[in-house]
Amino acid sequence: MRKTKTHNVLRRLLAFVLIVSLLPLGYAGNVMAATTGTRNVSIQVTYGQTDARNVYGMINSMRRNLSDAWYWDANNYTKTYCNNLQPLTYDYALEQVAMKRAAEIALSYSHTRPNGTNYYTAYSENGVYAGVYAENIGVNYSSASALHNAMREDNANYSGQEQRRNMLNSQFTAVGIGHVYYNGYHYWVEEFANTVTRTSYTTPNNQTTTVTNLQVAESNITSDQIVVPSSIGTYIQMSVGQTKDLSGCYENIKVSNHWPGNANCPIVQGLNMYVSNTAVAYISGTKLVANSTGSTTLTLNRPDGRIPLQIPVQVTGTNNSSNTYSYYIPNASVGTIVDQIYTGYDIRPSVSVWLNGGYLYEGRDYTLTYSNNRNIGTASVTINGIGNYYGSRTVYFRIVNHGNGNTTVSSNNLANAVISKIATQSYTGSSVKPEVTVTLNNIVLKEGSDYYLNYSDNGAPGKAAVMVVGTGNYTGSAKTSFIIKPEKPVITRLRAHGSKVRITWLPGTSVTGYEIYRSKGAYDYGYKKIAATKDGEMQSYTRAKLTKGTYYYKIRSYVTVDGTKYYSPYSSVKSVKIRR
């Protein structure tokens, strides 16, 4: 079978994209990379495989729904409808391919891998062998539904519906989907194949992970930098006994086809660090330690030694108790931090620091690191010396509810929450799980960390329910309901016999009844309801004593909930002629 190598980069981005500097304030040493060979890099990403697998259900719903399973022909005038498409199997081997490719497109947004080979070479690396395959990729969509709505390409013409045609391709039997969050952006990959390799369930990976051994062609690396934070700078002056934390130094690269354009890609390989005169200063782990007075040079380099960055180091003073006391942060005085009121977000109160009667300044003399500073309870802030100061000190503060000094939550019961109204949903053939917005105490809560959802009666048209159950800082539960309207009916046959017309359709799922409409005037107007039934099992209707002419028919189904009818979309129009 002919191999399909579809190169269909998803270019439809969100309506606004704010591109900001990705370099911290500090010093960067730039050297252009070599133009031959490849190198292995490691990046830190956060996988979102639960969201990725949600896309799988949306693809199969699209394949099952006759009103969705279409694409434009090359003439952009007629539609090809894809009938009897089988659902795709979720392939966990293909998922591994997609997860690897998601990390790769985070570096180089292209169907060509960062090492210069085609995307499908990733298949065999993960034990997948297929005769027909394709790849969809997308960037900057923060949710599964946003990605899928873009990849549907409903409003595009033939040339812009490559992703859509991949999802509706009858040759494919399997799909795996990958999703990573890297450096502020979401990257998605869908991999399709005509073979199923592995169907054993695995727990979705939603962890922050260092992805190693990503091959990047040196010719695709347009610049390489060692980035040094402002707390270190271009010149280091220390006193004997001081230490300087170098863990904030890292390497940035720029890669061809990276999205957003011209942005850097931070990588996490450990840097090589050494000092020319270890009698003056030396490296201990990730710290520079001042040993004796004098001058030396600190060199930072990437592991293969190609881009050395040198920083002058001057050590003054002597290692005596008065000198140590003057610059040692653990000996500082720290102002009391008052109780902070819980907001649902990270809380970072300011800190007042004095040492030897002098006021120290954040950013010049120290940095702050907060921990456990979102939820009600005890939080901490660590003061880390920089510049002329060294050492660290941790102080604590409380996060309380409503400023009443109570460290237990009194108004965190979801029974008091406001749940947004859920719009009427359409039946898809599988469980319908609309998004829910939950607000308590004017705070929009987060699914997963503040609550989880239990759906019921959501697999068929009618009235469904969703239970919001508190977790984390929240207790109790709240319940709301929503309506699922029937799917679009399909007329299977329209036959005239004498002056009679018989219309036949596929029975809907769990519907209350049907309404039948007819027009003799035209295809698209003049319809009148000629029959209605409360029999949801009904599959045909016959009308007699019709006069000569052409008749147009369409039907819709409905479900009745609490006395109100909720209608499906109208079926496609069918016509028949009465010849006598």
Side-chain angles (χ1 to χ4, degrees), residues 92 96 125 129 164 226 271 275 349 463 502 534 545:
Y92 295 93
Q96 291 300 308
E125 292 176 8
Y129 301 92
R164 187 183 188 93
I226 302 296
L271 297 176
V275 177
K463 188 174 184 179
R502 181 179 177 85
K534 295 182 179 179
K545 297 181 181 180

Side-chain angles (χ1 to χ4, degrees), residues 127-141:
V128 177
Y129 301 92
V132 184
Y133 39 83
E135 175 179 88
N136 290 348
I137 62 178
V139 62
N140 212 18
Y141 295 97

Side-chain angles (χ1 to χ4, degrees), residues 210-231:
T210 297
V211 183
T212 60
N213 297 324
L214 294 175
Q215 286 192 342
V216 182
E218 291 282 9
S219 58
N220 284 335
I221 300 177
T222 58
S223 73
D224 207 338
Q225 303 172 321
I226 302 296
V227 180
V228 178
S230 58
S231 59

Side-chain angles (χ1 to χ4, degrees), residues 74-382:
N75 58 20
N76 292 318
Y77 182 74
T78 57
K79 292 180 178 179
T80 292
Y81 284 88
C82 307
N83 298 317
N84 301 317
L85 286 178
Q86 296 302 306
L88 298 175
T89 297
Y90 197 80
D91 190 320
Y92 295 93
L94 273 178
E95 182 184 64
Q96 291 300 308
V97 176
M99 291 170 66
K100 178 69 172 289
R101 288 286 297 128
E104 290 181 344
I105 70 168
L107 292 175
S108 181
Y109 186 67
S110 170
H111 291 292
T112 300
R113 301 177 72 183
N115 65 3
T117 62
N118 286 315
Y119 72 88
Y120 52 81
T121 60
Y123 281 48
S124 59
E125 292 176 8
N126 287 271
V128 177
Y129 301 92
V132 184
Y133 39 83
E135 175 179 88
N136 290 348
I137 62 178
V139 62
N140 212 18
Y141 295 97
S142 59
S143 68
S145 58
L147 173 84
H148 182 68
N149 288 339
M151 284 199 175
R152 283 173 58 102
E153 301 167 324
D154 289 330
N155 299 317
N157 57 22
Y158 174 84
S159 63
Q161 288 186 329
E162 290 179 322
Q163 291 86 220
R164 187 183 188 93
R165 292 197 298 275
N166 283 342
M167 291 189 288
L168 298 177
N169 192 325
S170 62
Q171 297 181 87
F172 295 139
T173 58
V175 66
I177 304 166
H179 170 212
V180 302
Y181 182 74
Y182 170 68
N183 206 25
Y185 296 94
H186 295 267
Y187 300 86
W188 305 75
V189 174
E190 298 172 350
E191 299 289 352
F192 301 88
N194 69 330
T195 58
V196 178
T197 303
R198 188 166 71 242
T199 58
S200 299
Y201 175 81
T202 61
T203 302
N205 185 345
N206 299 308
Q207 303 299 315
T208 298
T209 306
T210 297
V211 183
T212 60
N213 297 324
L214 294 175
Q215 286 192 342
V216 182
E218 291 282 9
S219 58
N220 284 335
I221 300 177
T222 58
S223 73
D224 207 338
Q225 303 172 321
I226 302 296
V227 180
V228 178
S230 58
S231 59
I232 297 174
T234 60
Y235 176 77
I236 299 175
Q237 186 171 9
M238 306 171 67
S239 297
V240 173
Q242 272 193 284
T243 62
K244 181 74 68 172
D245 186 4
L246 304 177
S247 61
C249 303
Y250 63 97
E251 182 183 356
N252 255 338
I253 60 175
K254 286 185 179 178
V255 183
S256 299
N257 298 314
H258 178 65
W259 197 98
N262 204 38
N264 290 287
C265 302
I267 58 179
V268 295
Q269 277 93 335
L271 297 176
N272 286 341
M273 299 182 290
Y274 55 91
V275 177
S276 59
N277 186 348
T278 56
V280 175
Y282 61 90
I283 300 295
S284 176
T286 59
K287 294 185 181 298
L288 176 67
V289 181
N291 192 43
S292 63
T293 58
S295 300
T296 187
T297 301
L298 168 68
T299 299
L300 305 174
N301 210 333
R302 83 182 203 183
D304 61 8
R306 291 199 181 187
I307 55 169
L309 175 64
Q310 295 183 328
I311 303 174
V313 179
Q314 181 71 41
V315 179
T316 61
T318 59
N319 190 12
N320 55 52
S321 59
S322 61
N323 184 289
T324 300
Y325 185 91
S326 299
Y327 299 101
Y328 194 44
I329 290 294
N331 293 327
S333 298
V334 181
T336 301
I337 304 176
V338 300
D339 288 348
Q340 305 292 303
I341 298 175
Y342 172 75
T343 64
Y345 304 97
D346 288 349
I347 296 176
R348 297 183 176 90
S350 60
V351 177
S352 298
V353 183
W354 296 267
L355 186 56
N356 294 330
Y359 184 81
L360 305 191
Y361 293 90
E362 183 181 358
R364 186 193 71 178
D365 303 321
Y366 63 87
T367 61
L368 299 176
T369 302
Y370 294 87
S371 181
N372 299 322
N373 59 319
R374 172 173 292 191
N375 298 327
I376 291 172
T378 301
S380 66
V381 55
T382 298

